[in-house]
């Protein structure tokens, strides 16, 4: 059984290595789904009760990698660009509500030639909040 497992793993690694040999020069389209989870930092005493909740969200996006010479000459990277729908629940709908947003973004890769690299996402678009802050009622 273990011998058979070694052959399967070896085949998958070899086929993955051979599959990497061809460089794709077109834009790759990707559909993605992300989950978000967080916490609230209370910056005032009257926010202690609200800060016991954990906001969560879900994001659906459609993006593609820009692989043109123009993109490379602009930022010396191959940025990812696309559209995203983001839903955030602050886990306290009566007080904090929920947020729905749709935005377009561009995400340049930083230090992409290194094993450890990062990116920043710059986006803009409309957002709808079902509970807007009010100085008197909140």
């Amino acid at each position: 059984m273990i011998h058979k497992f070694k052959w399967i793993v070896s085949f998958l690694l070899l086929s993955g290595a051979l599959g990497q040999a061809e460089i794709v020069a077109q834009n790759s389209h990707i559909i993605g789904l992300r989950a978000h989870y967080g916490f609230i930092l209370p910056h005032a005493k009257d926010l202690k009760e609200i800060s016991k909740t954990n906001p969560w969200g879900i994001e659906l996006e459609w993006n593609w990698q820009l692989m043109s010479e123009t993109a490379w000459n602009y930022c010396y990277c191959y940025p990812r660009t696309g559209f995203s729908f983001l839903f955030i629940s602050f886990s306290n709908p009566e007080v904090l509500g929920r947020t729905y947003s749709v935005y377009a973004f561009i995400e340049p890769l930083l230090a992409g030639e290194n094993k450890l690299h990062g990116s920043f996402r710059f986006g803009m678009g409309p957002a709808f909040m079902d509970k807007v802050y009010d100085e008197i009622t909140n």
Side-chain angles (χ1 to χ4, degrees):
M1 180 69 178
I2 293 174
H3 183 68
K4 186 185 259 187
F5 179 72
K6 287 181 184 178
W7 277 104
I8 292 171
V9 171
S10 298
F11 175 74
L12 291 174
L13 290 174
L14 183 60
S15 65
L18 294 175
Q20 297 293 327
E22 184 179 329
I23 297 174
V24 178
Q26 328 175 9
N27 297 340
S28 304
H29 292 268
I30 302 165
I31 295 175
L33 186 66
R34 296 178 189 217
H36 300 276
Y37 188 77
F39 55 90
I40 298 173
L41 295 172
H43 58 277
K45 289 182 183 180
D46 53 348
L47 296 177
K48 290 265 188 209
E49 194 63 36
I50 295 173
S51 68
K52 294 178 183 174
T53 63
N54 292 96
W56 62 272
I58 192 158
E59 184 174 11
L60 177 65
E61 68 180 43
W62 172 49
N63 64 61
W64 55 95
Q65 195 85 34
L66 299 178
M67 301 293 289
S68 68
E69 185 177 347
T70 305
W72 176 262
N73 291 335
Y74 185 73
C75 66
Y76 298 109
C77 66
Y78 294 112
R80 185 178 301 170
T81 188
F83 299 96
S84 181
F85 170 75
L86 175 64
F87 167 77
I88 299 286
S89 171
F90 294 102
S91 298
N92 192 346
E94 299 82 28
V95 178
L96 300 175
R98 294 173 288 268
T99 301
Y100 308 85
S101 63
V102 176
Y103 64 95
F105 66 87
I106 188 159
E107 187 175 0
L109 190 64
L110 305 174
E113 67 278 0
N114 300 328
K115 287 185 179 182
L116 181 63
H117 56 273
S119 66
F120 284 97
R121 181 174 283 197
F122 303 98
M124 186 182 305
F128 172 76
M129 293 163 269
D130 59 9
K131 193 73 168 180
V132 179
Y133 174 75
D134 185 347
E135 190 176 306
I136 297 168
T137 62
N138 293 67

